[in-house]
Amino acid sequence: MSTTAKRDYYEVLNVSRDAGLDEIKAAYRRMAIRFHPDKNPGDPRAEERFKEASEAYAVLSDPEKRQRYDRFGHEGVGGEGFTGFNSESFIDFADILGDIFGFGTIFGSRRGRSQSGSQRGSDLRYTMSLTLEEAASGVTRTIRIPRLEACEACGGSGVEPGTRPETCPTCGGRGQVGYRRGFLTVAQTCPTCGGRGQVVQHPCRACRGRGRIEDETTLEVKVPPGVDSGVRLRMSGEGESGVRGGRRGDLYVIVSVEPHDLFEREGPHLHMKLPISIFQAVLGARITVPTISGDAREITIDPGSQPGQVIRVRGAGMPQLGGRGVGDLLVHLDVVVPRKLSKEQRKLIAQAAALGGEQLTEDDEGLLQRLRRRLANEG
Ligand SMILES: [Zn+2]
Ligand SMILES: [Zn+2]
């Protein structure tokens, strides 16, 4: 062992004597990264500096040890001997260095799990199929979902009633054990108890120690008007029960709207095809069309309406989520040419054609002229 006097811990980490814990941690982090043995293979000086910084950090990051050190110097925390790394003062490298040098994986991250071993319950998904009418009006549905509930026999603890969990023999209840890596001893989550510090010798018989049992629950889901396929409704706290006092997960109801035989949806608007006769297209008409809300609306077909022409019925589309107005219904006219006519009808239509100066049989010349006229009119 070196016989030179130990350096002052504050000097080692290059921080002031009133430095806060965050500052000390940041200073140590810088040193640890710079002098880490993995980064300086075979350099005894770097190793010495790393060790020195680790020891300083172990003392200054512990309020009680720091106080003793401030009052009594190195004597107060065990004198000249190396004291930083006994089992009482672990350095959580995963916490300080994260994934640098792979500590996060070597020592196992404890993120996502609390000290007591409690764990949030899983989120659940439920796909709800709705008709377009239901999506338009909104609906209240009763659904049944299988989910894990806290075991009633043991109150969710997983411990057989009348028995108690015992202190973990491996870690003595601390939840962590020392792990030797080269000349360092660092903290690792106890493999026996998983960090809880306790082991269950008599698991609950009702839930086989899991603390939760499968159950089926009935829930009422209120679907607001205007939902579309893919909309997720979050029901907070309706997911699975947590473990050992952890929060419940959430339930996500995913909406799926079935296709409609009459209406096609485009955002807030609806499209429909309306077959009309050639006579209605020629002479004009008033037609009552159905809407998604169930009310009928009368529309006016102007005389001379063309196939594919669109009539917009304002406010007869889908309501928008959150009360942001209602879309329109777009009625696409589909002019149907009659396949069969009575003798009388044929006669009258032929007359009408003749009155319009129309030649029913056209030669190439006549057709070309008519097309040119039409192009000229449109241009
Ligand atoms: Zn343990
Ligand atoms: Zn139980």
Side-chain angles (χ1 to χ4, degrees):
M1 263 282 144
S2 157
T3 52
T4 53
K6 281 174 86 98
R7 285 212 295 157
D8 175 61
Y9 288 150
Y10 292 99
E11 195 186 302
V12 168
L13 293 181
N14 196 20
V15 292
S16 66
R17 296 195 82 83
D18 55 4
L21 190 59
D22 285 347
E23 209 181 318
I24 288 170
K25 197 164 158 180
Y28 173 60
R29 188 172 190 277
R30 277 194 301 274
M31 295 251 170
I33 291 169
R34 188 168 155 208
F35 296 115
H36 195 279
D38 285 0
K39 253 189 139 181
N40 304 274
D43 180 351
R45 257 183 60 85
E47 187 173 314
E48 194 55 44
R49 292 291 297 273
F50 182 71
K51 205 162 138 184
E52 190 184 44
S54 297
E55 185 183 330
Y57 176 73
V59 170
L60 298 186
S61 63
D62 179 324
E64 201 195 312
K65 288 206 178 99
R66 183 176 177 183
Q67 204 182 16
R68 278 204 309 250
Y69 177 74
D70 286 346
R71 285 185 68 184
F72 308 113
H74 291 112
E75 291 296 324
V77 287
E80 295 291 309
F82 184 71
T83 61
F85 295 102
N86 58 46
S87 61
E88 295 302 314
S89 61
F90 294 130
I91 293 177
D92 188 342
F93 278 95
D95 179 38
I96 292 169
L97 297 177
D99 286 338
I100 298 169
F101 309 116
F103 276 112
T105 48
I106 292 174
F107 299 113
S109 169
R110 282 175 295 133
R111 262 170 285 161
R113 191 190 268 181
S114 74
Q115 213 65 35
S116 65
S118 73
Q119 228 174 305
R120 185 176 175 275
S122 305
D123 292 335
L124 294 174
R125 288 163 62 100
Y126 180 92
T127 302
M128 184 184 282
S129 191
L130 299 176
T131 63
L132 191 62
E133 280 87 353
E134 287 171 325
S137 63
V139 70
T140 300
R141 275 272 184 88
T142 302
I143 61 171
R144 296 175 70 80
I145 48 163
R147 68 181 182 192
L148 290 171
E149 298 289 354
C151 170
E152 275 175 29
C154 62
S157 68
V159 182
E160 179 68 13
T163 71
R164 292 167 62 90
E166 281 150 41
T167 300
C168 173
T170 307
C171 63
R174 282 195 311 270
Q176 292 192 327
V177 287
Y179 178 92
R180 194 156 277 281
R181 186 171 197 256
F183 57 90
L184 290 175
T185 304
V186 290
Q188 185 192 22
T189 301
C190 173
T192 306
C193 62
R196 267 173 275 146
Q198 294 187 317
V199 285
V200 177
Q201 303 285 17
H202 305 282
C204 168
R205 267 171 294 179
C207 63
R208 277 172 298 163
R210 289 183 306 159
R212 300 187 296 179
I213 47 170
E214 268 160 41
D215 201 2
E216 201 173 59
T217 312
T218 306
L219 278 176
E220 212 171 66
V221 183
K222 275 193 161 65
V223 181
V227 290
D228 204 346
S229 286
V231 164
R232 298 196 318 172
L233 305 169
R234 179 163 166 260
M235 299 186 71
S236 185
E238 293 292 0
E240 292 198 324
S241 175
V243 178
R244 281 176 288 278
R247 278 199 308 124
R248 293 195 73 104
D250 298 329
L251 169 68
Y252 289 94
V253 175
I254 319 249
V255 172
S256 167
V257 181
E258 296 159 11
H260 196 273
D261 55 1
L262 210 58
F263 301 112
E264 201 175 303
R265 184 178 190 167
E266 187 197 358
H269 304 306
L270 292 175
H271 295 266
M272 72 171 283
K273 220 171 179 187
L274 178 68
I276 57 172
S277 75
I278 196 161
F279 309 110
Q280 287 172 318
V282 171
L283 303 171
R286 291 180 75 78
I287 296 178
T288 301
V289 293
T291 68
I292 195 68
S293 66
D295 310 326
R297 294 276 283 265
E298 197 180 59
I299 60 167
T300 302
I301 314 253
D302 292 327
S305 286
Q306 303 296 314
Q309 199 168 316
V310 179
I311 297 174
R312 185 177 282 263
V313 186
R314 298 219 176 261
M318 294 295 285
Q320 286 187 271
L321 271 180
R324 291 176 296 119
V326 180
D328 301 330
L329 172 63
L330 297 140
V331 180
H332 298 248
L333 299 184
D334 182 21
V335 179
V336 181
V337 176
R339 289 181 189 281
K340 271 187 173 171
L341 290 173
S342 67
K343 242 182 170 176
E344 194 69 7
Q345 279 177 316
R346 276 190 64 87
K347 213 173 106 186
L348 288 171
I349 287 178
Q351 258 176 36
L355 284 172
E358 192 150 346
Q359 247 183 323
L360 292 181
T361 307
E362 266 178 323
D363 52 19
D364 288 358
E365 202 65 22
L367 176 69
L368 277 175
Q369 267 173 21
R370 190 161 61 83
L371 288 175
R372 287 210 180 93
R373 248 198 333 269
R374 193 171 177 156
L375 285 173
N377 283 345
E378 278 172 4

